[in-house]
Amino acid sequence: MTSQLFAICFNATRPSGLARFWSGVLGWELAAGPDDDVAILPPDTAGFRIRFLPSQEPKTGQSRAHFDLTSTSPEDQQQTVARALELGGKHIDVGQLPEEGHVVLADPDGNEFCVIEAGNKFLADTGFIGALACDGTQEVGYFWSEALRWPLVWDQDQETAIQSPNGGTKITWGGPPVAPKTGTNRLYFELALPAEADWEAEVDRLISLGATRTDIGERDGGRVLMLDPDGNEFSVRLPAGVRSSSGAATSRHSDRPND
């Protein structure tokens, strides 16, 4: 069976504080996780959760991925910006032009995000998190389309985008030039498999699509760590009771898909 997008993970210096920020901005419920992390839960079971995991690595350079938040009106955009600033966000300059309608902010941990102006047609069929906008190649867009079995909804001039068949947030890649990767990404995908899935076959499938397995830094036996074709880290959560190459047995936690 194909992996599901279980979570977008943030490596965070203060996971609890960052989770409270994003919970306040998005209006999502806070929940404790099993790995000294905190999560916020989507308002419906079709969406992914956002997890905040402890990390002492400082942020270096601009992130390879950021959220684009949508607006229903100019007033709604202003309210989202004001709420983010009140919760500890700040305005930043990443080279945006004055005439551009979106507002660029950073969360308290320095992670960039945009509040998009109302009327954006590309994000009209999404949700509050309209997109996870990534710096990446056309190849990696094709990889993730096959990995998640999400259809391509944009493929022009080496820019790609995918979206779940159930709708919701789009994941986009801007094409070349792609900035060199520096250090471990602050944001990464966490995939999960149904309990009855053959995880070894799924890992082999991901490798056949262009992923690389690397268990360096694995903290427990509950996941397989991998790199996509652009070298971005992602993990695959193993079904309950399965042992990874580290030999540690997994256990069933409350944060499984579609709780």
Side-chain angles (χ1 to χ4, degrees):
M1 291 187 177
T2 304
S3 298
Q4 304 168 44
L5 178 58
F6 175 64
I8 303 295
C9 298
F10 282 75
N11 287 320
T13 55
R14 297 187 302 275
S16 295
L18 198 59
R20 286 193 296 271
F21 171 84
W22 281 105
S23 174
V25 170
L26 299 176
W28 290 18
E29 178 188 354
L30 281 163
D35 301 318
D36 296 324
D37 67 297
V38 185
I40 58 174
L41 308 181
D44 57 70
T45 57
F48 53 82
R49 65 187 58 205
I50 303 175
R51 297 180 67 202
F52 303 88
L53 294 106
S55 172
Q56 297 307 312
E57 291 189 30
K59 187 175 187 297
T60 57
Q62 191 169 319
S63 299
R64 271 195 166 186
H66 68 269
F67 287 137
D68 284 342
L69 307 184
T70 60
S71 306
T72 58
S73 66
E75 293 75 20
D76 182 49
Q77 182 186 28
Q78 293 169 7
Q79 289 170 5
T80 299
V81 171
R83 186 165 66 250
L85 295 175
E86 182 179 339
L87 290 166
K90 62 180 180 180
H91 288 280
I92 58 170
D93 184 356
V94 296
Q96 68 269 29
L97 300 175
E99 62 269 22
E100 293 177 320
H102 62 276
V103 178
V104 184
L105 302 171
D107 68 22
D109 223 22
N111 302 298
E112 305 87 354
F113 66 100
C114 296
V115 184
I116 307 299
E117 67 276 14
N120 184 291
K121 293 182 180 179
F122 180 69
L123 301 179
D125 59 344
T126 59
F128 191 13
I129 303 179
L132 178 66
C134 306
D135 191 18
T137 63
Q138 185 181 51
E139 178 188 9
V140 86
Y142 291 170
F143 166 81
W144 282 108
S145 177
E146 291 291 335
L148 296 174
R149 293 204 167 98
W150 287 14
L152 283 162
V153 294
W154 182 265
D155 185 9
Q156 293 184 27
D157 301 323
Q158 299 190 63
E159 297 178 355
T160 52
I162 62 175
Q163 186 179 29
S164 167
N166 298 320
T169 302
K170 292 177 177 177
I171 306 176
T172 71
W173 293 270
V178 178
K181 188 172 183 291
T182 57
T184 303
N185 288 342
R186 298 294 293 276
L187 276 71
Y188 67 93
F189 298 158
E190 183 175 39
L191 312 184
L193 289 165
E196 67 275 15
D198 182 341
W199 72 270
E200 291 179 315
E202 175 62 3
V203 169
D204 288 343
R205 184 183 76 89
L206 294 169
I207 291 172
S208 74
L209 294 174
T212 303
R213 180 169 176 173
T214 169
D215 291 334
I216 297 173
E218 186 176 15
R219 293 181 304 156
D220 58 44
R223 69 203 65 208
V224 174
L225 305 182
M226 307 189 77
L227 303 175
D228 71 16
D230 277 1
N232 301 301
E233 300 85 5
F234 71 96
S235 66
V236 181
R237 294 174 64 89
L238 304 182
V242 172
R243 291 179 179 268
S244 76
S245 59
S246 67
T250 71
S251 60
R252 184 175 296 276
H253 298 296
S254 61
D255 60 337
R256 55 187 182 273
N258 301 329
D259 281 351

